[in-house]
Amino acid sequence: MASTGTTTPHAGHADVHEHGAHDLSFWKKYVFSTDHKTIGIQYAVTALCFLLFGFFLMMLMRWQLAFPGKAIPLIGGLFGEGRAPGGTMLPTFYNELGAMHGTIMVFLGIVPLAVGGFGNFVLPLQIGAPDMAFPRINMASYWFFFLGGVTMLLSFIIPPGGAAQSGWTSYAPLSDIAGSGQTWWIMGMVLLITSSLLGAINFIVTTIQLRAPGLSFFRLPFFCWAQFVTAFLLLLAFPPLEAAGVLQLMDRVAGTSFFLPSGLVVSGQALQVSGGGNPLLWQHLFWFLAHPEVYVLILPAMGIVAEIIANNTRKPLFGYRTMVYSLIFLGFMSFIVWAHHMFMTGMGTTMAAFFQTTTMIISIPSVAILTSLIISLWGGSIRFNTPMLFALAFLPMFGIGGLTGLPLGLNITDIPLHDTYYVIGHFHYVVAPGTIFALFAGIYYWYPKATGRKMSETLGRWHFWPSLLLMNGIFMPMFLTGLAGMSRRLADGGATYAFTKPVLHYNQWSSFSAWGLALFQIPFIINFFWSMKNGEKVDSNAWQSTTLEWSAAGSPPGHGNFKTIPTVYRGAYEYSVPGAAKDFTPQDQRS
Ligand code: HEM
Ligand SMILES: [Cu+2]
């Protein structure tokens, strides 16, 4: 069915780009590209590499937790006497791994993949735009990310201090007085934040300005809404952390005491600092970013899952408008719940009452979105392909993550749970079998748009089922160890505490599951490369979808995306419309 399009000045512009594309040098085309699709792929591939590295750090930590004090087998000798004498991990090395695992997974892995990768590749296509509003800023955003990532990783080998050791939250005063790695951590963060801010501005302007004619806000695919709201979170939440990072840098290198109290005594020695600062100020500034950041981790995931569910149930999303309003409300609320991470700081009952109330309220829109997605399945004739399997698994996994957040959101129940493995279980359910599964779903789903081929379903299943099982094998026991009181901060997993004895063996469950999970990512890695040459060839609308990225000719579409800018006549999910010729009616189809 031919799609109708109007010729706009943009479309002419797009044509010029398309012809121009042939003349681009290798460097301009693949390295310093300004094409949002290339940048999206650069972001995605880089972030996947970082994710793999962060995963590797975690596997080392899991050895220490399962078998504290035993030499790391095979590779233990590689880390040197300073980190693992005789192959046995020192607590300081464990701290490096912990801080860098968290930082890498969140700031170098998931967010860049979800926003930089999927946002960049998909959003301009879905809104019928020739590119991002500011292609060069987009390129700068990627390169700041890359530099920030490299800075973080290099910190492992930069003397004298190695990598940061103060956790991904970098709490003061520890972070102020920690070794040199902490300085590299801050500098890396400043670069990463700069990258995010450049990206966020681009997403906001692009969504407002470059939507195709007829594509009103309420015709936007839910994925675009999710990216749009996420961009506001990044734009408004990151600057305070960037400022806080610079203050911490000053504390470390310029003798200031923004986060250092007077009279600080470390290991029996009074510290020679001017003092007068407040460690809690850091916590406030950090969580003012980092709570919205957890929604940055989850909203794009919800967006991806929504697209895939509509497509594979062949039905419109249930309650699309409610979902959009929930998203906006959630974005707003995410700025006034941050101190639920700080109930232990003695904030007093008035403050605690405020933050637990807002936290309970914010769970309502999350539940509204999740429920809408579940109801969307009702009565659909579901296609159980690999993207759909991952999207479906996201629902209960995110559900477990969200529900276990509620006891943490209430002051009275958080106090015993805070800093135990229960918290680790909670947030990993939302980000690992939650967000990461959604990201896998997205990779399987949009891969055909990027390469013209589908990934193998067989390998996809070898990836999905064991991963689902093993993810739960890792994180479910953490609720039990956490409820038993096991602290998340111990390099030996709690082996020296009598009260953790009955649950200590769960540490091994988690560890074996984690190593198993690594094994079952191999089918994915093989699939990712093998399918580029050998996957099933598909036409430009691989999944018979309604949204505009599939109307763009070619996989991937040429520079400029659309020969003529499409005109949009309908909402995003017109599947199985009664009386229609096919079970999907693309947004740019007139009738
Ligand atoms: C209904 C939803 C949720 C509620 C009520 C909730 C509540 C909480 C609370 C109160 C804490 C602090 C616990 C403590 O340290 O004692 C926490 C930790 C955390 N949550 Fe959630 N949460 C929810 C959803 C999410 C989502 C969607 C994500 C991410 C996508 C997330 C990620 C995190 C992270 C990363 C931490 C731990 C940070 C750290 O201490 O290292 N949460 N959650
Ligand atoms: Cu929070």
Side-chain angles (χ1 to χ4, degrees):
M1 220 154 282
S3 59
T4 11
T6 41
T7 307
T8 65
H10 265 124
H13 183 65
D15 265 351
V16 174
H17 271 299
E18 186 149 67
H19 297 305
H22 300 297
D23 312 330
L24 291 177
S25 68
F26 171 84
W27 287 97
K28 281 233 156 117
K29 203 164 170 199
Y30 297 109
V31 184
F32 297 108
S33 171
T34 50
D35 183 331
H36 72 98
K37 298 182 295 295
T38 310
I39 296 174
I41 291 170
Q42 285 177 317
Y43 251 118
V45 171
T46 316
L48 281 168
C49 293
F50 286 142
L51 271 179
L52 197 66
F53 185 74
F55 193 96
F56 174 71
L57 301 184
M58 175 277 285
M59 288 198 289
L60 288 176
M61 292 168 76
R62 290 269 20 136
W63 173 264
Q64 171 70 7
L65 293 169
F67 305 105
K70 297 220 172 78
I72 306 164
L74 303 175
I75 52 172
L78 299 178
F79 304 110
E81 291 299 295
R83 286 191 164 110
T88 304
M89 184 181 295
L90 289 176
T92 44
F93 184 32
Y94 180 86
N95 287 348
E96 278 182 275
L97 296 174
M100 296 306 282
H101 165 70
T103 306
I104 289 172
M105 295 317 248
V106 172
F107 296 111
L108 301 184
I110 297 182
V111 176
L113 180 54
V115 179
F118 284 108
N120 254 314
F121 188 88
V122 178
L123 182 126
L125 286 167
Q126 272 194 339
I127 65 171
D131 205 322
M132 284 291 211
F134 309 118
R136 283 193 187 84
I137 290 185
N138 205 18
M139 175 177 82
S141 165
Y142 171 76
W143 284 104
F144 271 106
F145 159 64
F146 185 82
L147 276 179
V150 170
T151 307
M152 287 282 183
L153 295 200
L154 281 182
S155 72
F156 271 108
I157 52 169
I158 299 177
Q165 298 181 18
S166 324
W168 81 284
T169 57
S170 202
Y171 273 6
L174 180 62
S175 51
D176 268 18
I177 57 177
S180 63
Q182 192 63 34
T183 307
W184 292 103
W185 186 92
I186 300 170
M187 295 199 290
M189 282 305 289
V190 168
L191 291 169
L192 292 171
I193 294 171
T194 307
S195 153
S196 271
L197 294 178
L198 294 174
I201 294 168
N202 226 339
F203 280 101
I204 292 170
V205 176
T206 304
T207 310
I208 294 176
Q209 294 292 340
L210 294 188
R211 280 168 295 120
L215 187 54
S216 61
F217 268 95
F218 278 112
R219 284 178 172 173
L220 279 180
F222 189 69
F223 175 84
C224 295
W225 267 109
Q227 291 284 342
F228 187 56
V229 173
T230 301
F232 277 99
L233 300 189
L234 288 170
L235 186 69
L236 299 175
F238 253 142
L241 185 67
E242 186 147 34
V246 173
L247 298 184
Q248 192 176 92
L249 192 64
M250 292 296 105
D251 276 7
R252 295 180 52 81
V253 301
T256 59
S257 280
F258 290 104
F259 307 119
L260 288 172
S262 308
L264 191 61
V265 177
V266 177
S267 311
Q269 301 270 316
L271 273 201
Q272 296 304 315
V273 294
S274 48
N278 190 342
L280 281 186
L281 175 62
W282 170 267
Q283 291 198 21
H284 279 295
L285 292 172
F286 181 83
W287 288 114
F288 184 78
L289 156 88
H291 188 85
E293 178 81 1
V294 307
Y295 288 95
V296 171
L297 298 171
I298 201 70
L299 300 184
M302 289 172 163
I304 293 171
V305 168
E307 297 304 294
I308 294 173
I309 284 186
N311 179 258
N312 288 303
T313 53
R314 317 302 289 163
K315 278 176 59 208
L317 285 179
F318 175 86
Y320 166 85
R321 272 186 188 242
T322 310
M323 287 173 71
V324 170
Y325 290 131
S326 299
L327 198 61
I328 297 170
F329 182 57
L330 216 155
F332 171 76
M333 290 298 292
S334 75
F335 285 100
I336 49 171
V337 299
W338 79 90
H340 65 203
H341 295 270
M342 301 169 58
F343 287 136
M344 288 291 276
T345 59
M347 64 176 74
T349 46
T350 312
M351 290 289 274
F354 175 80
F355 282 104
Q356 63 188 346
T357 308
T358 52
T359 303
M360 291 304 112
I361 294 173
I362 200 176
S363 59
I364 298 170
S366 317
V367 172
I369 294 175
L370 187 65
T371 313
S372 300
L373 289 172
I374 294 173
I375 299 178
S376 298
L377 303 174
W378 190 264
S381 57
I382 300 176
R383 304 189 305 202
F384 288 99
N385 44 39
T386 308
M388 186 61 169
L389 291 176
F390 275 103
L392 287 174
F394 169 88
L395 304 174
M397 295 296 106
F398 174 70
I400 295 175
L403 286 176
T404 52
L406 295 176
L408 297 175
L410 295 167
N411 188 17
I412 195 89
T413 35
D414 179 57
I415 285 173
L417 292 173
H418 177 71
D419 261 355
T420 69
Y421 267 94
Y422 182 93
V423 177
I424 308 284
H426 153 66
F427 74 75
H428 279 89
Y429 263 95
V430 259
V431 287
T435 300
I436 292 184
F437 272 13
L439 296 174
F440 278 133
I443 292 174
Y444 285 100
Y445 182 68
W446 279 299
Y447 189 91
K449 189 65 340 192
T451 64
R453 292 171 190 270
K454 275 189 184 169
M455 291 172 80
S456 150
E457 281 290 318
T458 315
L459 286 171
R461 267 145 231 265
W462 274 105
H463 178 210
F464 171 72
W465 289 107
S467 294
L468 178 62
L469 192 79
L470 292 164
M471 280 281 192
N472 285 283
I474 302 174
F475 298 117
M476 195 58 89
M478 295 190 185
F479 292 130
L480 304 176
T481 55
L483 285 166
M486 187 187 284
S487 164
R488 67 187 275 196
R489 308 268 181 212
L490 303 174
D492 63 0
T496 47
Y497 287 84
F499 65 89
T500 56
K501 285 266 154 16
V503 291
L504 215 53
H505 60 283
Y506 284 128
N507 274 339
Q508 290 169 12
W509 277 58
S510 289
S511 295
F512 282 111
S513 302
W515 303 323
L517 183 64
L519 213 60
F520 284 100
Q521 302 317 296
I522 294 173
F524 169 74
I525 296 170
I526 295 175
N527 203 352
F528 191 85
F529 292 105
W530 181 84
S531 301
M532 282 178 196
K533 286 237 150 49
N534 308 296
E536 177 198 341
K537 268 197 179 157
V538 283
D539 67 14
S540 51
N541 190 353
W543 308 99
Q544 299 83 43
S545 177
T546 51
T547 45
L548 288 181
E549 76 272 34
W550 304 101
S551 298
S555 303
H559 197 122
N561 295 341
F562 298 91
K563 288 249 150 43
T564 49
I565 290 295
T567 301
V568 169
Y569 298 99
R570 56 194 73 244
Y573 304 109
E574 300 222 349
Y575 287 105
S576 306
V577 177
K582 291 184 179 163
D583 74 346
F584 66 105
T585 318
Q587 285 192 280
D588 60 345
Q589 186 179 307
R590 195 192 286 271
S591 58

